[in-house]
Amino acid sequence: MASFAAAFADVAPIEQDDGPAPVCAIAYAPEYARLMGFFRAILESNERSPRVLELTAALAEHNAAHYTVWHVRRECLWALASNDASILTDELRYSAEVARENPKNYQIWYHRRALVEKIGQAAAADELALISTALRDDAKNYHAWSNRLWVLKTYGGWAGELEFCTALLDADVYNNSAWNHLYQVKAQLG
């Protein structure tokens, strides 16, 4: 926390304003509340920099489902990638770790989709590999299935999908997610 205080010494944190008489004030952890104070100030100033990228990572550790944190993180990435394209591949590695820890988190899958869109075809195979791992851990993960179908429809790679579905259905014939994906695969392959 001290490192954030030093990094944001020039920023006046904006405290949470729940109004004069909140019905049910949320008791945020002190560290999260302090980080959010910096984040609200950053939102107001519209700063997009490496320190904001670090701040969003710290906030995502506290709440990986915070949509605005991921949105601002993407804005930082897009701004910083204009000078260093490797930042996007670094982000794929970072977000893969977050996805493994939060496999049913919509925000992380949406974030990864935006990254893959920005990088293009070069990221598709690795994305399918990560999704395969997520589905081995939980074969009914809706967000992973949805992202898998998007990658396939956008970048191809349908070869092996029949076998992929068959293996999951052999493990659990009642897996409606695998049946739905199999329908999509057969529709695509003809």
Side-chain angles (χ1 to χ4, degrees), residues 18-105:
D18 292 328
V23 174
C24 182
I26 298 172
Y28 295 109
E31 181 179 2
Y32 180 73
R34 185 159 186 208
L35 292 172
M36 281 302 299
F38 291 131
F39 186 70
R40 282 188 286 278
I42 292 305
L43 284 175
E44 192 171 277
S45 72
N46 204 33
E47 177 185 337
R48 301 299 180 257
S49 66
R51 74 178 182 170
V52 175
L53 201 60
E54 290 180 31
L55 177 62
T56 60
L59 284 165
E61 285 181 31
H62 288 276
N63 180 4
H66 196 308
Y67 177 82
T68 306
V69 165
W70 288 107
H71 176 76
V72 169
R73 186 169 182 84
R74 279 189 300 281
E75 288 181 344
C76 285
L77 289 164
W78 301 168
L80 297 171
S82 63
N83 297 326
D84 180 9
S86 70
I87 197 166
L88 298 179
T89 53
D90 292 344
E91 182 68 9
L92 276 176
R93 281 190 292 280
Y94 163 75
S95 62
E97 292 173 23
V98 177
R100 281 189 280 278
E101 294 169 8
N102 302 275
K104 290 191 173 183
N105 179 317

Side-chain angles (χ1 to χ4, degrees), residues 91-129:
E91 182 68 9
L92 276 176
R93 281 190 292 280
Y94 163 75
S95 62
E97 292 173 23
V98 177
R100 281 189 280 278
E101 294 169 8
N102 302 275
K104 290 191 173 183
N105 179 317
Y106 169 77
Q107 288 78 5
I108 189 61
W109 288 108
Y110 181 83
H111 182 70
R112 289 193 58 81
R113 178 178 174 164
L115 286 167
V116 172
E117 278 181 318
K118 195 78 158 171
I119 295 169
Q121 181 70 44
D126 287 343
E127 188 66 6
L128 287 173

